[in-house]
């Protein structure tokens, strides 16, 4: 009885690196198959975070983040708005003297309050004690 020796070569052994790269990213947008929202369109890559922007200031609510391929209506790519009902309140906005946290840093009216001292004898000079900070003179 004679023995028949059969050698099996793997089918992909002769695929070039460039062919392998194309197979893993056919639209060549840098996003591999399985993570790409559309492997036929190089303008569409991976899903990304979208934030609803109710007040239209370009910053959405971080808490309502959605990871999607297609942006939902009224959504933006920047999150962190602390008051999405006011288009003048968003991260790095100018702080106003209004009793609100306009720049979303957790502090209210910082840097815009004026110091006042009580002037109980009405001589135009305040007392060194009892200083208060406010938007307008108490």
């Amino acid at each position: 009885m004679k023995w028949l020796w059969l050698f099996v070569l793997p089918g992909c052994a002769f695929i070039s690196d460039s062919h392998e790269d194309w197979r893993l990213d056919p639209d060549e947008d840098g996003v591999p198959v399985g993570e790409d929202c559309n492997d036929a369109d190089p303008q569409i890559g991976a899903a990304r975070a979208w934030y609803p922007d109710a007040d239209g200031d370009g910053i959405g609510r971080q808490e309502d983040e959605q990871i999607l391929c297609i942006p939902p209506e009224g959504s933006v790519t920047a999150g962190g708005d602390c008051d999405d009902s006011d288009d003048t309140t968003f991260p790095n906005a100018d702080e106003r003297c209004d009793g609100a946290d306009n720049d979303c840093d957790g502090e209210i009216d910082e840097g815009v309050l004026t110091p006042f001292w009580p002037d109980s004898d009405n001589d135009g000079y305040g007392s060194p004690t009892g200083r208060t900070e406010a938007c307008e003179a108490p």
Side-chain angles (χ1 to χ4, degrees), residues 96-127:
R96 295 181 312 276
C97 207
D98 60 0
D101 179 15
N102 308 109
D103 57 4
C104 297
D105 66 355
E107 296 182 40
I108 296 174
D109 295 339
E110 77 279 2
V112 295
L113 296 174
T114 303
F116 295 97
W117 293 267
D119 183 14
S120 57
D121 61 4
N122 293 320
D123 65 357
Y125 295 96
S127 171

Side-chain angles (χ1 to χ4, degrees), residues 1-108:
M1 183 184 288
K2 296 190 179 203
W3 293 94
L4 177 63
W5 293 94
L6 179 63
F7 293 98
V8 178
L9 296 174
C12 295
F14 299 107
I15 295 176
S16 70
D17 287 343
S18 63
H19 184 268
E20 182 70 10
D21 291 344
W22 175 86
R23 192 173 66 81
L24 296 176
D25 183 16
D27 62 1
E28 298 178 344
D29 63 359
V31 181
V33 171
E35 294 176 29
D36 200 329
C37 292
N38 185 338
D39 284 319
D41 187 345
Q43 301 300 314
I44 301 174
R48 63 182 312 168
W50 297 98
Y51 307 93
D53 182 20
D55 61 12
D57 62 7
I59 311 287
R61 285 181 34 89
Q62 190 79 28
E63 298 81 14
D64 297 329
E65 174 186 82
Q66 295 179 302
I67 308 296
L68 301 168
C69 289
I70 299 173
E73 179 94 17
S75 293
V76 294
T77 58
D81 201 335
C82 59
D83 183 354
D84 206 29
S85 64
D86 180 356
D87 67 351
T88 62
T89 299
F90 52 87
N92 299 317
D94 291 333
E95 191 69 48
R96 295 181 312 276
C97 207
D98 60 0
D101 179 15
N102 308 109
D103 57 4
C104 297
D105 66 355
E107 296 182 40
I108 296 174

